[in-house]
């Protein structure tokens, strides 16, 4: 039953991805209670590393990490985890505008997912799910040069992840 819940959450959590092309010119959360949980900062770092490993295998340059983008991604994940925003890409244009105020950008995309796994299973599950989804894989392999990752955990222990991709 628990494995089925994980699979259902991952499948639902990978629904949709959003990309937007635009014309040319916090505090991080802590781990949920329980010994299998890791600090979200570690989870964010591992997602970034695993996505860059996939890009390297595909012959692509790594994505530089930008803390300003990560904070915007974190806020989206926190809003989904707290149910202030429905799961998905609601208010994507607001995130695009917020980033464009601090980084001149030519394009942006995001991947979102959620999963109830904890510990060492969480990051590979999230990233593998994105890689196995054509739209999410297209974002991961896209002509982007910056990224930020935000993870938040809901009160019931589900992790919500947002990765934003930026092309300057």
């Amino acid at each position: 039953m628990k494995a089925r819940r994980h699979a259902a959450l991952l499948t639902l959590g990978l629904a949709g991805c959003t990309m937007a092309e635009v014309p040319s010119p916090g505090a991080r959360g802590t781990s949920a209670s329980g010994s299998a949980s890791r600090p979200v900062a570690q989870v964010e770092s591992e997602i970034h590393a695993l996505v860059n490993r996939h890009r390297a295998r595909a012959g692509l340059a790594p994505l530089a990490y930008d803390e300003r983008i990560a904070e915007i991604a974190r806020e989206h994940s926190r809003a989904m985890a707290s149910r202030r925003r429905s799961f998905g890409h609601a208010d994507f244009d607001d995130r695009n505008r917020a980033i464009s105020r601090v980084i001149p950008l030519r394009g942006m995309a995001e991947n979102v997912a959620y999963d109830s796994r904890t510990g060492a299973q969480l990051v590979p599950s999230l990233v593998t799910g994105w890689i196995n989804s054509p739209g999410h894989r297209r974002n991961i392999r896209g002509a982007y040069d910056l990224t930020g990752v935000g993870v938040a955990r809901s009160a019931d222990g589900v992790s919500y992840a947002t990765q934003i991709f930026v092309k300057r």
Side-chain angles (χ1 to χ4, degrees), residues 10-73:
L10 183 59
T11 301
L12 292 172
L14 291 174
C17 64
T18 303
M19 292 184 283
E21 292 294 321
V22 296
S24 296
R28 290 186 176 202
T30 58
S31 65
S33 60
S35 61
S37 295
R38 294 176 300 171
V40 293
Q42 180 182 352
V43 173
E44 292 169 352
S45 177
E46 290 175 13
I47 289 171
H48 177 236
L50 198 52
V51 164
N52 271 342
R53 196 170 316 143
H54 175 80
R55 286 178 61 90
R57 284 193 301 265
L60 300 168
L63 298 167
Y65 199 81
D66 189 291
E67 188 58 37
R68 298 167 297 180
I69 297 170
E71 187 51 42
I72 292 167

